[in-house]
Amino acid sequence: MSKRVRTAVFPVAGLGTRFLPATKAMPKEMLTVVDRPLIQYAVDEAREAGIEHFVFVTGRNKGVIEDHFDRQFELEATLESRGKVAALEELQKDLPSAGRTSFTRQQEPLGLGHAVWCARDIVGDQPFALLLPDMVFRAKPGVLKQMMDAYEESQGNVIGVEECAWEDVSSYGVVVRGDGPDKSFAINGMVEKPKRDEAPSNLFISGRYILQPEIFALLAEQTRGAGNEIQLTDAMQTLMSQQRFTGVKYEGKVYDCGSKLGFLTANVVFALDRADIRPGFIDELRKLDLESEL
Ligand code: G1P
């Protein structure tokens, strides 16, 4: 149980139906917050947390994600010949090392639990991180890093949680909080997309997990849950009778970039965070005279 977490899984097979028509031919994971695709934020966060192997569960029309994590010699040569050293270095910095990515396919959209199960042979018998790339965090250190620090102590399974408005609980998985401080407390139960009046808390699972490999055997049973999908939350609830689950209410905030509002807000917040963009962006926002719009 005390193995180091070296591998991260990124489920990127989702159809992106909440973001049509943008996602008709383009993967939703390639939508950009400022100038970086959503998937790049998740990979950067994983790398910061010490992840060495990046496993993508893809689907049809997702080939461009694979290209994004490959070298682009023509582009690199052009940048070099034009002396655009900073852009070139940025591209090279973003790349995982050779041989440290794997791609497998979820052939049918049967749910998050099924997507994770599709990575079982690549992950093997070791703990792994799971990052849902729709969910982009403004956090320092990154949320997965904060969870890794908690994992050093707790071992077992670790789930990142954040409070949401009670009217939003039915959009997420929600946990039952047990004993312990916010930084690292016991989770005694969880439920996927509960009705507001049946939700055990407003602490929602915000898309970052550290899981033990025993989850795969439970996912293999492929029981359908909420929305008639194979739910990861249901398999975790079952695993809870055998293994410890720890909740980490991390420092930071998530933006649900699978929703238009979350995505737009993330773009504003991340643009304001960028020293190279902030001054000009503030000027433009002033010109919009938002006060009179609000
Ligand atoms: C999935 C999980 C849910 C979690 C959410 C975070 O739901 O099943 O527990 O709260 O991601 O984004 P989905 O967004 O795939 O419906």
Side-chain angles (χ1 to χ4, degrees), residues 128 130 143-144 146-148 150-151 154-162 173-175 182-187 189-190 203-212 215 232-233 236-237 239-240 244-250:
F128 62 101
L130 171 66
V143 168
L144 190 62
Q146 295 183 41
M147 290 167 58
M148 288 285 202
Y151 176 77
S154 68
Q155 300 295 307
N157 303 270
V158 179
I159 312 292
V161 297
E162 189 171 324
V174 176
V175 305
D182 279 355
K183 251 185 106 175
S184 184
F185 57 85
I187 292 180
M190 54 180 72
L203 286 172
F204 80 103
I205 301 170
S206 59
R208 296 296 182 266
Y209 313 72
I210 297 171
L211 296 170
Q212 297 298 323
I215 196 77
L232 176 64
T233 304
M236 293 194 294
Q237 169 69 49
L239 188 57
M240 219 171 280
R244 180 197 300 211
F245 276 73
T246 301
V248 170
K249 197 166 157 230
Y250 46 80

Side-chain angles (χ1 to χ4, degrees), residues 32-198:
T32 55
V33 171
V34 188
D35 50 9
R36 299 171 79 69
L38 300 182
I39 188 65
Q40 186 76 56
Y41 286 92
V43 164
D44 291 349
E45 184 187 333
R47 197 190 279 127
E48 179 198 354
I51 293 298
E52 296 165 8
H53 190 153
F54 305 83
V55 180
F56 300 87
V57 181
T58 74
R60 285 174 292 283
N61 292 332
K62 301 282 183 166
V64 68
I65 296 177
E66 206 162 334
D67 293 341
H68 181 74
F69 291 107
D70 195 2
R71 294 192 62 181
Q72 233 278 34
F73 287 106
E74 198 180 331
L75 176 63
E76 289 174 26
T78 308
L79 289 174
E80 195 159 7
S81 70
R82 292 183 186 167
K84 302 210 169 199
V85 182
L88 191 59
E89 281 175 2
E90 183 79 19
L91 283 186
Q92 284 163 353
K93 173 173 78 59
D94 290 345
L95 271 189
S97 321
R100 291 290 173 83
T101 51
S102 298
F103 296 85
T104 187
R105 279 200 179 207
Q106 183 188 27
Q107 293 154 328
E108 288 174 83
L110 297 178
L112 177 61
H114 179 258
V116 174
W117 180 76
C118 288
R120 68 198 179 282
D121 277 9
I122 301 174
V123 172
D125 189 23
Q126 53 167 338
F128 62 101
L130 171 66
L131 298 95
L132 310 189
D134 286 3
M135 306 302 264
V136 174
F137 295 83
R138 184 166 181 258
K140 259 199 177 93
V143 168
L144 190 62
K145 170 80 176 84
Q146 295 183 41
M147 290 167 58
M148 288 285 202
D149 292 344
Y151 176 77
E152 300 253 308
E153 297 284 313
S154 68
Q155 300 295 307
N157 303 270
V158 179
I159 312 292
V161 297
E162 189 171 324
E163 271 174 10
C164 66
W166 279 93
E167 56 265 34
D168 293 338
V169 287
S170 59
S171 302
Y172 298 110
V174 176
V175 305
V176 182
R177 192 197 194 293
D179 292 339
D182 279 355
K183 251 185 106 175
S184 184
F185 57 85
I187 292 180
N188 294 338
M190 54 180 72
V191 49
E192 182 66 17
K193 303 197 171 69
K195 292 194 183 116
R196 183 195 162 135
D197 48 359
E198 289 166 10

